[in-house]
Amino acid sequence: QVQLVESGGGLVQAGGSLRLSCATSERTLSSDAVGWFRQVPRKEREFVAAIRRTGGTTYYADFVKGRFTISRDNAKNTVYLQMNSLKPEDTADYYCAADYNIVTTPTYRYWGQGTQVTVSS
């Protein structure tokens, strides 16, 4: 079974940084795509970034380009989201998701439980 567990969320001041982790149960060198999404109350879950587990091709939403970096460690079956220059509007619940193809809609096959990120002014 594919399982995803997010960690690393917390409270940070504007301009600060957080590093989120997504630990998976998928095999090493899997070709599956892993994406990060975020959601605030009464809004749809929105795409943040994604990466291929093999090849390392990355994709970013426009609103995080230059601030967030997605990376992977296949040996640890872990995908990271380094978030720098955080803004209050980045406050949300962040989810990782896995599928065999990268898409920017929240339609991935597998989802983690989420981790909360709060950015204070």
Side-chain angles (χ1 to χ4, degrees):
Q1 294 181 336
V2 176
Q3 297 180 345
L4 303 94
V5 180
E6 305 95 333
S7 62
L11 174 64
V12 65
Q13 293 181 327
S17 299
L18 285 173
R19 185 178 179 87
L20 306 184
S21 298
C22 176
T24 78
S25 62
E26 297 182 38
R27 63 187 182 277
T28 302
L29 301 180
S30 171
S31 60
D32 284 354
V34 175
W36 285 95
F37 292 77
R38 69 187 188 185
Q39 187 171 25
V40 299
R42 297 175 296 281
K43 292 187 65 177
E44 293 186 10
R45 194 166 296 183
E46 64 179 351
F47 173 78
V48 176
I51 189 169
R52 293 284 184 184
R53 289 186 173 180
T54 57
T57 304
T58 58
Y59 306 82
Y60 295 96
D62 288 340
F63 59 84
V64 302
K65 288 182 178 178
R67 298 191 298 125
F68 293 7
T69 302
I70 189 169
S71 61
R72 60 185 169 88
D73 187 334
N74 288 341
K76 298 180 180 179
N77 288 326
T78 301
V79 173
Y80 304 96
L81 184 68
Q82 178 67 45
M83 305 186 295
N84 299 326
S85 301
L86 283 163
K87 305 174 181 179
E89 51 263 45
D90 294 320
T91 296
D93 291 329
Y94 284 72
Y95 300 84
C96 65
D99 209 329
Y100 288 104
N101 296 299
I102 289 181
V103 295
T104 58
T105 52
T107 55
Y108 283 55
R109 292 181 297 139
Y110 306 102
W111 292 87
Q113 80 289 343
T115 185
Q116 186 177 23
V117 172
T118 302
V119 184
S120 62
S121 301

